[in-house]
Amino acid sequence: MTATSDLLPDTRIVPFALGLAAHGDRPAVITADGPVTYRELAARVDETVRRLGRERRLVLLVGANTLDALVVHLAALASGHPVLLVPGGHPEAVRSLIDAYDPDVVAHPEGGQWVLDERRTGSAHTLHPDLALLLSTSGSTGSPKLVRLSHENLQSNAESIAAYLGIRDTDRAATTLPMHYCYGLSVIHSHLLRGAGLILTDLSVADSCFWELFRSCRGTTFAGVPYTFDLLDRVGFDTMDLPHLRYVTQAGGRLAPDRVERYAALGHAAGWELFVMYGQTEATARMAYLPPHLARTRPGAAGIPIPGGSFRLRPVPDLPGADTGELVYTGPNVMLGYAHSPQDLGLGRTVDELATGDIARLSPDGLYELIGRRSRFVKILGLRIDPGQVEAVLARNGVTALCAGDDEALVVAVAAAVAAGETGTRRIRKLVTGACGLPARAVEVRIVAELPRLDSGKPDYRAVRELRHLCDPAPHGTGPAGGTDPEDLCALYALVLDRRRTEVTRDSTFVGLGGDSLSYVEMSLQLEERLGHLPADWHTTPIGELKPPERQQARSHRRTLETSVALRAMAIFCIVGSHIHVFGIKGGAHLLLALAGYNFARFHLTTAARRERVRRIWTSIGRVALPSMAWIGLVLLLNDDYTLANLALLDSVLGPEDSKTGMHFWFIEALVYILVAAVGLLGLPLMDRVERRFPYGLPLTIAGLGLLTRYDLLGLPARAEIPDAITVFWLFALGWAAAKAATTRRRLVVTAAALATVPGFFPGDPGREAIIVAAFALLVWVPTLPGHERVNRVAGLLATSSLYIYLTHWQIFPLVDGFSRHLAFAASLVFGIAYATGVTRLMRGFPLKAVPSLRRSPSVRRTTDRSRA
């Protein structure tokens, strides 16, 4: 690790970040890819220290619960570079803070890799020697107001937390909160200080994969804000078997006393402890904690000061009594002060104690109790109102709400599930007016899909206040056919992805819920109809962030169609039409192989853990193979066109080679074989790490290896004698690479690869090759095409039903072909769509807990011999 002598004189650092190597080969970070020891982590930090250089620079770090982000953060702390930690996943906030503070270095993810964008070799700013970290107190808004924290702040707060929690080097803490949030960051710091392990993940506690990872890594602790405990209630935390759990911490807002008592009792019965804590970003993280043995008897108390800190009560007008006042904190973790602009980065300490803004009472047993928020008090019609007390009154009456106000009215936000309709609204208004004496006209009850929260899970009171300026919003409908608020969209996701409604939250994403290539079609069409426009990354965007375009009505917005959807619809249309000889547009099946690779990368190669990835790929293989085998088995009972080799999807391996109908399903066999090979490859921990490190380079390498068989450089038997998967998998790999080509240069490379390798694959048929290359280029360069509502629906039906159309058309069109080719063509498409609808409804009836839906699969196709689709 970097020695102090390597740093410029008078450079101040955070000791625990400099001393990582002292913990040796203990596991420091555990991810889905495996463990990283302290010695290995120190080596990576040291390498980044050298990149950052000896001259202090302002480093803006896009926070994420990833090893790369952690390494940059620790490297900066270990070498004296001040870090401006900003929220990942919010590009507007990142841009806003870059514009406001003009950092010297920007560390951020790009194309699956971590980039250090060194904007200058020195610093454009005067940086005070004590300045170590800059954090926002306003969530993801990009506000330029930042908290300035020193090296001493970080070290002392980590030591204090580690002391009262009794953190051991055998502990393993899961990162359940964002790194850019002071509470989440304090978990990281305090455990690294003690040589404990971090289970580094961005999975939500609502995700079953989180608990699989937590158990497999022998997790001993995790942290939660009040909203986290809402999620724990939903996922049945009280029934989970977590044999290594030692304690749970809670902060980030007040947890209702009855819930503190309940979770403390749950922990007592299960053998773990609950630490309720109180803190603010301005105090680095923590100021007080409630000893666990008091959680069941004093659940409403904030507790006692952390080691090294102290409280006093400052008198507040209208609040008589020496035991009540504004809570003021003093300790070595109190911030240097605020920064509003780059000029403030050169300031030293401007505050010595922290006026918390919280109204507290010191009880006779020495515990501090928070009874309100000074800054939240509002005076409405001459009455001094504490919105926090109103929330408490509603909570005692079974209503969870958020309250905020101005000089004219108090706004009460209530979730739709709690208060639906006029009766619920009137009851809540009556409770509020009775509690605080306001007239009914000064209380505005707003029914919302879900209570607004910041990224950290804390209540978003600014959003509550803004509800006053909106019309009274009863939720837009009661189901998927409803409006565009998150509750309606959650219901839509649950329906399309066949998930229980409780499994889908505002934080859920299409990919995270197990969406795949064909459910993508249905979902994108449904969403565009509701929202009027979809961002390119909607499938990885949380539901709560999907909104209609501003100042536009969704119905009037220009319709578009996903290019991959259009190409899949076109491919199955051309395949069936060519087989029936309505026209002769060929190349659809081989294009679909590239599309299958493209969607494989988009929907399976996510940030999910390796085991979850493998599970989902196997599920997709089942969605292709099982419906195919079921249909072929039914046909086997009716005629002798096929053999048991077809039923087992082994015709390309076992033959017979002289069968005129045996190769009808070559595409499905090839796709299944390729997917099996892919899951076998990515199921290896080493290859999983390689793919995450080189998401574009790996598929391009595989495509290059595929050229050995595509050009028959290995002396293989004739193409008719070997499985097609061996000679065509390079197309699948090119589609995979296309999905990961995040830059213009990479898109040019993958397009050039297709242009160079497709020609010559079909000797004497340049038209087919031209169609494949042109469609592939369209996929790479044009994400969406102009659409129309009816055209989009037809394309969506074809793309979604493509597997079933392909499976059934071989048997349907001969029944009508002698009468009319065009009628046979239409009948094949209609029957396939109808069959898809029936199978989909049937499969939704099965109790599939962990499998999202069995009706989807990558696309399909082929003809009577291997080269004729």
Side-chain angles (χ1 to χ4, degrees), residues 630-642 665 807 811:
W631 178 259
I632 296 169
L634 176 63
V635 175
L636 268 176
L637 297 176
L638 302 177
N639 59 49
D640 57 359
D641 286 347
Y642 305 111
F665 306 108
L807 280 173
Q811 284 71 50

Side-chain angles (χ1 to χ4, degrees), residues 7 169 187 219 229 235-236 250 570 582 592 615 640 740 823 826:
L7 307 174
D169 60 8
V187 173
F229 289 81
V235 300
Q250 184 274 318
M570 180 198 76
V582 175
L592 283 169
R615 185 188 69 80
D640 57 359
K740 298 297 184 179
L823 185 59

Side-chain angles (χ1 to χ4, degrees), residues 382-451:
L383 296 175
R384 194 165 186 268
I385 306 298
D386 178 3
Q389 288 296 99
V390 176
E391 292 175 1
V393 169
L394 291 173
R396 287 196 294 272
N397 286 273
V399 179
T400 301
L402 297 179
C403 302
D406 54 23
D407 294 340
E408 299 178 3
L410 182 70
V411 181
V412 182
V414 186
V418 174
E422 282 297 316
T423 302
T425 300
R426 286 197 299 270
R427 172 177 172 262
I428 291 169
R429 185 176 285 111
K430 185 175 180 180
L431 286 171
V432 173
T433 56
C436 59
L438 286 173
R441 64 182 175 82
V443 178
E444 300 188 8
V445 179
R446 293 288 184 257
I447 309 301
V448 294
E450 286 196 24
L451 298 179

Side-chain angles (χ1 to χ4, degrees), residues 151-481:
H151 308 90
E152 182 190 12
N153 290 157
L154 300 180
Q155 182 74 19
S156 65
N157 203 231
E159 290 174 350
S160 180
I161 294 170
Y164 72 73
L165 290 180
I167 296 176
R168 307 166 183 168
D169 60 8
T170 54
D171 278 323
R172 293 184 176 181
T175 55
T176 48
L177 300 170
M179 179 183 180
H180 69 267
Y181 173 38
C182 70
Y183 183 13
L185 193 62
S186 73
V187 173
I188 293 173
H189 288 176
S190 57
H191 284 79
L192 292 178
L193 174 84
R194 286 290 177 89
L198 294 172
I199 304 172
L200 199 60
T201 177
D202 60 359
L203 292 171
S204 166
V205 296
D207 192 330
S208 61
C209 297
F210 171 84
W211 297 108
E212 292 176 12
L213 180 65
F214 190 80
R215 276 188 286 265
S216 66
C217 294
R218 304 170 70 88
T220 62
T221 181
F222 64 90
V225 297
Y227 182 57
T228 307
F229 289 81
D230 293 341
L231 298 178
L232 293 178
D233 289 341
R234 295 182 192 178
V235 300
F237 174 75
D238 57 344
T239 64
M240 289 184 182
D241 179 25
L242 303 171
H244 304 289
L245 182 62
R246 202 165 69 80
Y247 64 92
V248 174
T249 64
Q250 184 274 318
R254 186 173 185 268
L255 189 64
D258 61 325
R259 300 189 73 196
V260 172
E261 186 176 357
R262 181 165 69 86
Y263 272 90
L266 176 63
H268 180 75
W272 52 265
E273 293 181 314
L274 175 68
F275 283 84
V276 176
M277 308 185 300
Y278 164 66
Q280 292 181 359
T281 308
E282 289 86 346
T284 310
R286 306 274 70 80
M287 293 182 287
Y289 73 100
L290 182 64
H293 69 276
L294 297 175
R296 287 194 290 169
T297 57
R298 295 298 312 279
I304 59 177
I306 65 173
S310 62
F311 288 123
R312 67 182 179 88
L313 296 174
R314 175 186 292 169
V316 175
D318 303 328
L319 290 176
D323 62 346
T324 303
E326 181 181 9
L327 196 62
V328 179
Y329 175 79
T330 304
N333 52 317
V334 173
M335 66 176 179
L336 297 173
Y338 291 111
H340 300 273
S341 70
Q343 288 69 39
D344 295 333
L345 303 183
L347 297 176
R349 179 168 293 281
T350 57
V351 297
D352 294 310
E353 60 181 13
L354 177 62
T356 66
D358 289 316
I359 306 301
R361 176 174 54 242
L362 179 60
S363 63
D365 58 2
L367 298 180
Y368 286 88
E369 300 172 338
L370 303 182
I371 60 175
R373 177 77 182 157
R374 183 173 186 176
S375 62
R376 289 191 63 209
F377 278 91
V378 290
K379 186 168 283 190
I380 305 172
L381 304 179
L383 296 175
R384 194 165 186 268
I385 306 298
D386 178 3
Q389 288 296 99
V390 176
E391 292 175 1
V393 169
L394 291 173
R396 287 196 294 272
N397 286 273
V399 179
T400 301
L402 297 179
C403 302
D406 54 23
D407 294 340
E408 299 178 3
L410 182 70
V411 181
V412 182
V414 186
V418 174
E422 282 297 316
T423 302
T425 300
R426 286 197 299 270
R427 172 177 172 262
I428 291 169
R429 185 176 285 111
K430 185 175 180 180
L431 286 171
V432 173
T433 56
C436 59
L438 286 173
R441 64 182 175 82
V443 178
E444 300 188 8
V445 179
R446 293 288 184 257
I447 309 301
V448 294
E450 286 196 24
L451 298 179
R453 297 188 182 278
L454 302 170
D455 282 355
S456 62
K458 288 185 177 182
D460 188 346
Y461 286 111
R462 185 174 67 174
V464 174
R465 283 191 293 272
E466 291 173 352
L467 291 174
R468 182 167 182 265
H469 304 292
L470 303 177
C471 58
D472 199 4
H476 306 179
T478 59

